[in-house]
């Protein structure tokens, strides 16, 4: 199995002003991430609009990312949908395109209950030979994946790892402990840009930072310092990245996805990577005043 570790940013995709997929700008972002030395690419996650793209856009995004990666780093494809058979369809398309791994949430909308969640992941495993990473993001799917269930599925070979975006750092600490006690069956990644240093201290195998689109070099330096046991640098990079992450808090005109990923897109546009900061409908772009605040933060932290 492909070795998954280190910095695997959830790639933000670009759109033209008319809302269609901007392959040129997205490719520019992908190449920049590779040049920075990331260890993998995660496409069609939350930052990559995995829950919003059309089937046509999904096909475009997946094929483009795999072609640009060119086997230099593994590509994880988000297969996020409401129930099992729909996710399996996405998995089959990702397999055909040459994906190296799959990231899937618990089923959502009208389904619930941990027995159903467990069955969901087991059925996904039966449907593919690709490694599956559980995406723990209860704010979106309204189910928290318990550490005990994740370890059970890891020991059974159902899951290869976890991308934790739960916001529950206590649960993540328990998960890393249980994982070690079980012989490390899971590769564990934090999706929280501001506390990556704490996750590494807990023994995480890497990070999946949306902010890594804006400053991939910072997260790569932090990972390399972690590998050397240079905790002073790990913390120093985290302090700077935490200040940079404040770009996601400037929005008052919109909240949630629009404020966070919207800030990433505006930053990429200011950096000359994206031609447009267009969001998927019906999400509005940030205002000129909010963009001005983002520019100030980027300048202050040396990434503009």
């Amino acid at each position: 199995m492909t070795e998954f570790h280190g910095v695997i940013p959830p790639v933000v995709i670009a759109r033209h002003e008319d809302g269609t997929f901007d392959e040129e700008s997205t490719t520019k972002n992908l190449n920049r991430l590779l040049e920075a030395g990331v260890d993998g690419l995660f496409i069609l996650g939350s930052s990559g609009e995995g829950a919003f793209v059309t089937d046509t856009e999904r096909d475009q995004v997946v094929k483009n990312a795999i072609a640009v990666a060119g086997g230099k780093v593994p590509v994880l494809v988000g297969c996020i949908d409401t129930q099992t058979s729909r996710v399996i369809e996405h998995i089959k398309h990702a397999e055909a395109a040459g994906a190296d791994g799959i990231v899937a949430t618990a089923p959502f909308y009208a389904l619930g209950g941990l027995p159903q969640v467990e069955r969901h992941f087991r059925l996904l495993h039966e449907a593919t030979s690709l490694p599956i990473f559980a995406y723990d993001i209860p704010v979106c799917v309204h189910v928290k994946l318990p550490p005990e269930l994740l370890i059970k599925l890891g020991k059974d070979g159902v899951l290869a790892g976890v991308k934790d975006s739960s916001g529950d750092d206590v649960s993540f600490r328990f998960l890393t402990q249980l994982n070690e006690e079980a012989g490390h069956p899971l590769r564990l990644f934090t999706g929280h840009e501001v506390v990556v240093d704490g996750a590494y201290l807990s023994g995480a195998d890497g990070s999946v930072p949306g902010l890594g689109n804006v400053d991939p070099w910072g997260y790569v330096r932090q990972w390399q310092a972690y590998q050397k046991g240079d905790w002073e640098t790990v913390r120093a990079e985290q302090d700077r990245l935490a200040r940079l992450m404040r770009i996601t808090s400037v929005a008052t005109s919109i909240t949630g996805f629009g404020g966070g990923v919207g800030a990433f897109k505006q930053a990429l546009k200011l950096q000359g990577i994206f031609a447009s900061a267009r969001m998927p409908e019906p999400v509005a772009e940030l205002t000129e005043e909010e963009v001005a605040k983002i520019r100030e933060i980027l300048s202050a932290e040396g990434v503009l």
Side-chain angles (χ1 to χ4, degrees):
M1 188 182 75
T2 300
E3 182 70 20
F4 297 93
H5 63 268
V7 181
I8 305 179
V11 180
V12 175
I13 64 171
R15 293 181 178 275
H16 294 293
E17 288 294 347
D18 65 0
T20 57
F21 174 57
D22 181 352
E23 183 175 316
E24 182 178 353
S25 292
T26 301
T27 296
K28 188 181 292 187
N29 186 35
L30 289 166
N31 282 325
R32 180 171 178 253
L33 295 172
L34 294 173
E35 289 166 6
V38 301
D39 301 284
L41 300 168
F42 171 30
I43 57 172
L44 298 177
S46 299
S47 295
E49 303 177 21
F52 308 127
V53 292
T54 65
D55 288 342
T56 298
E57 290 170 338
R58 172 179 291 277
D59 187 59
Q60 292 172 323
V61 171
V62 171
K63 289 181 178 179
N64 180 57
I66 291 173
V68 175
K72 294 186 285 290
V73 298
V75 177
L76 291 167
V77 176
C79 296
I80 300 170
D81 217 316
T82 52
Q83 55 84 238
T84 307
S85 61
R86 293 171 67 91
V87 175
I88 290 174
E89 280 192 359
H90 296 323
I91 289 174
K92 294 305 180 184
H93 285 292
E95 281 181 334
D100 297 292
I102 299 299
V103 182
T105 68
F108 53 94
Y109 186 64
L111 302 174
L114 291 181
Q116 288 179 313
V117 171
E118 179 175 351
R119 178 168 172 77
H120 172 71
F121 282 115
R122 290 188 182 278
L123 289 171
L124 299 187
H125 173 63
E126 291 175 8
T128 183
S129 60
L130 291 177
I132 298 172
F133 289 75
Y135 190 174
D136 192 10
I137 185 165
V139 69
C140 291
V141 303
H142 309 296
V143 175
K144 176 73 180 78
L145 300 177
E148 294 79 9
L149 174 60
L150 294 170
I151 296 299
K152 177 182 178 183
L153 293 175
K155 290 173 68 175
D156 288 351
V158 173
L159 293 178
V162 178
K163 190 251 180 174
D164 184 278
S165 293
S166 68
D168 189 340
D169 294 323
V170 174
S171 178
F172 186 76
R173 186 60 176 259
F174 288 151
L175 176 60
T176 58
Q177 287 182 327
L178 291 172
N179 196 44
E180 288 307 305
E181 292 167 6
H184 210 103
L186 298 169
R187 308 296 288 184
L188 303 180
F189 294 83
T190 181
H192 289 284
E193 295 94 333
V194 178
V195 293
V196 175
D197 54 349
Y200 287 166
L201 192 62
S202 298
D205 296 293
S207 63
V208 186
L211 187 66
N213 288 273
V214 180
D215 184 6
W217 292 274
Y219 283 102
V220 169
R221 286 193 301 267
Q222 185 187 43
W223 168 255
Q224 293 172 344
Y226 167 44
Q227 296 304 290
K228 298 174 183 176
D230 180 2
W231 289 102
E232 183 176 347
T233 298
V234 170
R235 178 174 177 174
E237 286 290 350
Q238 187 65 80
D239 285 343
R240 188 185 61 80
L241 291 165
R243 291 192 297 271
L244 184 60
M245 186 64 176
R246 292 173 187 170
I247 64 172
T248 63
S249 302
V250 304
T252 57
S253 63
I254 195 167
T255 60
F257 172 82
V261 176
F264 294 156
K265 288 198 177 191
Q266 291 291 353
L268 287 165
K269 183 180 178 182
L270 289 168
Q271 292 173 322
I273 306 301
F274 280 8
S276 166
R278 179 66 184 267
M279 297 292 286
E281 293 291 0
V283 183
E285 292 182 35
L286 302 187
T287 66
E288 291 183 7
E289 292 78 11
E290 291 165 343
V291 174
K293 292 179 182 178
I294 290 173
R295 182 184 291 108
E296 290 177 8
I297 295 171
L298 296 179
S299 296
E301 300 308 323
V303 294
L304 186 61

